Amino acid sequence: MFAPRAKGERRYWLIKSEPDVFSFDDLMAAPDRTTCWDSIRNSGARNFLRDGMKTGDRCFYYHSNAEPSAIAGVCEVVREGYPDHTAFDPSHEYYDEKSDPETPTWFMVDVKAVAAFKTPVTLPQIKADPALAEMALLRVSRLSVVPVTPDEWAHVCALGGVKA
């Protein structure tokens, strides 16, 4: 499903969270600036978490359903895909009675905050930028995890005022 990686190749992603649920500031304040990225219940996003994201990959942290929605910072994958425990917890909002710990359906990764953007990069700004016209965020906006190309990564980092 995913092209083989060159030795040491880093890939780029965009992960979404509503800031009132878990913001980039919350990630920065988490112990060791790290958290699990759980409760994803879309098979396309699950495949990225399970099969695509690798330790050392970088992610844009995107605040969705915000005014305005925007990329707030950069984080790094520090643990590759593993079963999402929230799927097995009947008291959890994202419990999935069909998910079996022996053959899990849902996966998560751990991410660590790297840097906040000096200037958040807003969705209107992304939509208006010809260099970002093909960004997966705009084409598959419903997914909470999407790939980002190296060129998009460098461009957005420059807009946000952080080193790519």
Side-chain angles (χ1 to χ4, degrees), residues 4 8 15 48 50 59 66 70 80 94 113 134 146 158 163:
I15 59 176
F48 291 137
R50 183 189 65 200
C59 307
E80 295 179 13
Y94 290 97
E134 295 301 314
V146 293
K163 186 178 176 190

Side-chain angles (χ1 to χ4, degrees), residues 47-87:
N47 293 346
F48 291 137
L49 291 165
R50 183 189 65 200
D51 306 323
M53 298 174 92
K54 302 296 179 194
T55 302
D57 284 357
R58 292 283 171 103
C59 307
F60 287 135
Y61 197 107
Y62 181 81
H63 286 162
S64 60
N65 295 323
E67 277 304 320
S69 293
I71 299 172
V74 172
C75 56
E76 182 172 312
V77 176
V78 294
R79 182 176 178 193
E80 295 179 13
Y82 61 101
D84 183 341
H85 64 273
T86 65

Side-chain angles (χ1 to χ4, degrees), residues 17-118:
S17 180
E18 295 178 10
D20 61 335
V21 174
F22 196 84
S23 70
F24 190 75
D25 288 341
D26 293 329
L27 180 58
M28 291 290 282
D32 199 30
R33 297 188 336 250
T34 302
T35 192
C36 60
W37 199 257
D38 63 12
S39 304
I40 305 302
R41 298 297 184 265
N42 173 284
S43 60
R46 181 263 334 264
N47 293 346
F48 291 137
L49 291 165
R50 183 189 65 200
D51 306 323
M53 298 174 92
K54 302 296 179 194
T55 302
D57 284 357
R58 292 283 171 103
C59 307
F60 287 135
Y61 197 107
Y62 181 81
H63 286 162
S64 60
N65 295 323
E67 277 304 320
S69 293
I71 299 172
V74 172
C75 56
E76 182 172 312
V77 176
V78 294
R79 182 176 178 193
E80 295 179 13
Y82 61 101
D84 183 341
H85 64 273
T86 65
F88 314 126
D89 179 356
S91 67
H92 195 277
E93 177 182 3
Y94 290 97
Y95 170 66
D96 179 2
E97 66 184 30
K98 295 178 184 172
S99 193
D100 176 359
E102 296 300 315
T103 55
T105 303
W106 306 113
F107 287 77
M108 61 186 178
V109 298
D110 289 355
V111 295
K112 180 174 185 163
V114 172
F117 273 15
K118 292 178 181 154

